[in-house]
Amino acid sequence: MRIRSAMLGLALLAVGMAGTQAQNRVDLSGLDRGMAGPRDQVLVLGSVHLAEHFNGNFDPAVLDPVLERLEAFEPDVITVESLSGMECDLYRRHPEVFSQEGVDRFCFDTTAARAATGLDVPAAIASVNAMLDDWPEAPTPGQRRRLASLFLAAGEPDSAVVQWLQLPEHERRAGDGLDDTLASLLRQRESHPGESYQIGARLAARLGLARVHPTDDHTGSNLDIPDDQVEAYGQALYAAWQTASETRDPIVGRSAALAGSGDMMGLYRYVNLPAVRQAVAESDFGSALAHAPSQPWGQMYVAAWETRNLRMVANIRAAFADRPGARVLSIVGASHKPWFDDQFGRMPGVDLVDVEQVLGPLPGPAAER
């Protein structure tokens, strides 16, 4: 009886401890119940990477229907999936931590802009901030060209294009900090098939915004994998993804078909469907976690992915932290959207906006993939 009593006591203690642990978790879901100020509205637009679908044969006009719907949403903060000049400056200052390959792939080369303006990245960022602090309601063409040159020197070409597109056609020329090289670069970026330019920058220009906010982050996603195991890591992930190819391949195929037909509204409605995003998340990250090779590569892959998303969301939150009641459009690769929605959906004072409410429904059954 004593033994049974002791075991019963331990069982009750375990139940009590479990209850205590649950009670010790603070519930923040109602923190904004009595909030006095205006609520923020956040729309996360999942995007395909347009440059992968349109290689040298892209007509920006195909996106006009999408831009018109997004313009009606009237965002006053637009964020894009590109790296800030400040973060790239950090990469360049720590070559032992961040590879040159990563810098070359993700970071804008500011060499020409530094030659034209005489400013390195930190000095250019300071000049951008000073200029924006005193930005007039009706900037002159010279002011826009000057700000564009500073954005280029600061490593943020997306925002430079925002200013460039707001210039009358005959004012899109060298001058006020833009030399011929930089003016030519901006003319090329006008038609660059990247969503940061063709959706983010073009929409910001239509709305009269001064900039877009680059919010990508790779500081926590560079896994420390020994050189002799990199190939094994890649093979393990590929093997995991192959187990879900029957789910993923039709989604990839339909996305490519919509893009190839020029139906960009249909494409963006499709890739933002919750059922599509659920299927992609499970076939990518779920399959990686379920795969069981000799090393836990899948767990490492997902941990790096989650770290990146957390830091990206923090960058986006910082972009509208001082603007209560902001209307925010976050343009990001569609695979990020479930993580962004989850994190923004738990923030006090933030309301998620359904993409379907802005772009309209996809014709046919909503759950069709």
Side-chain angles (χ1 to χ4, degrees):
M1 290 295 292
R2 290 180 182 176
I3 294 176
R4 288 186 61 189
S5 297
M7 293 182 67
L8 178 60
L10 288 172
L12 291 173
L13 177 61
V15 172
M17 290 177 65
T20 301
Q21 290 173 356
Q23 291 172 4
N24 284 342
R25 288 189 60 183
V26 177
D27 180 10
L28 300 178
S29 60
L31 196 64
D32 56 357
R33 191 176 297 114
M35 192 178 76
R39 299 182 67 83
D40 301 308
Q41 307 294 313
V42 175
L43 170 64
V44 179
L45 180 73
S47 179
V48 299
H49 291 310
L50 296 173
E52 297 175 4
H53 288 276
F54 299 94
N55 185 14
N57 186 28
F58 177 71
D59 178 9
V62 298
L63 283 167
D64 284 347
V66 177
L67 290 176
E68 288 170 6
R69 294 292 187 101
L70 295 174
E71 186 176 1
F73 173 62
E74 297 183 321
D76 45 37
V77 174
I78 297 176
T79 74
V80 293
E81 187 185 344
S82 58
L83 290 172
S84 69
M86 184 181 296
E87 183 159 320
C88 285
D89 187 60
L90 173 70
Y91 291 179
R92 295 185 177 102
R93 292 174 187 269
H94 295 274
E96 296 300 319
V97 179
F98 304 104
S99 69
Q100 184 61 43
E101 179 185 2
V103 172
D104 293 341
R105 180 181 178 186
F106 297 115
C107 294
F108 176 72
D109 186 353
T110 60
T111 303
R114 180 170 184 171
T117 63
L119 301 174
D120 64 6
V121 171
I125 292 173
S127 296
V128 164
N129 292 338
M131 201 164 185
L132 290 178
D133 284 344
D134 197 30
W135 193 240
E137 290 188 11
T140 66
Q143 288 173 313
R144 290 200 184 280
R145 284 190 292 268
R146 175 60 178 165
L147 185 54
S149 74
L150 294 177
F151 274 128
L152 291 174
E156 299 189 7
D158 326 81
S159 290
V161 171
V162 174
Q163 290 300 318
W164 181 257
L165 292 176
Q166 292 183 77
L167 287 166
E169 188 68 39
H170 68 279
E171 295 285 4
R172 297 179 192 176
R173 57 173 176 78
D176 305 288
L178 291 176
D179 61 10
D180 289 335
T181 299
L182 297 185
S184 176
L185 183 151
L186 288 170
R187 278 191 287 271
Q188 293 171 7
R189 299 276 165 153
E190 281 188 63
S191 57
H192 184 282
E195 57 273 16
S196 293
Y197 297 104
Q198 298 307 327
I199 300 179
R202 285 179 62 199
L203 181 61
R206 286 188 180 204
L207 294 166
L209 303 181
R211 68 177 306 167
V212 293
H213 297 265
T215 54
D216 200 359
D217 191 294
H218 290 277
T219 56
S221 56
N222 51 338
L223 294 173
D224 186 14
I225 299 174
D227 292 342
D228 62 351
Q229 296 184 39
V230 170
E231 184 176 352
Y233 171 77
Q235 289 175 347
L237 290 180
Y238 180 77
W241 294 332
Q242 287 300 105
T243 65
S245 59
E246 291 186 4
T247 297
R248 183 186 61 254
D249 290 352
I251 294 173
V252 173
R254 185 171 179 186
S255 298
L258 287 166
S261 70
D263 182 9
M264 303 307 287
M265 182 68 80
L267 174 64
Y268 277 89
R269 286 169 172 167
Y270 176 67
V271 300
N272 282 278
L273 284 175
V276 171
R277 298 276 42 93
Q278 182 76 41
V280 171
E282 291 178 358
S283 64
D284 186 341
F285 306 99
S287 65
L289 289 171
H291 194 59
S294 58
Q295 297 286 341
W297 299 126
Q299 289 173 261
M300 296 169 65
Y301 168 67
V302 173
W305 174 254
E306 289 194 322
T307 301
R308 183 180 173 200
N309 281 292
L310 286 165
R311 295 185 179 182
M312 290 175 73
V313 167
N315 290 337
I316 296 166
R317 188 67 178 100
F320 65 96
D322 59 353
R323 304 184 65 163
R327 298 179 67 82
V328 182
L329 169 65
S330 176
I331 304 161
V332 70
S335 290
H336 294 275
K337 180 174 169 58
W339 277 263
F340 280 32
D341 284 349
D342 177 66
Q343 292 163 33
F344 281 118
R346 290 184 279 116
M347 289 183 183
V350 173
D351 293 330
L352 274 174
V353 178
D354 188 347
V355 172
E356 187 173 299
Q357 293 179 3
V358 176
L359 297 187
L362 184 72
E368 181 186 357
R369 295 201 297 266

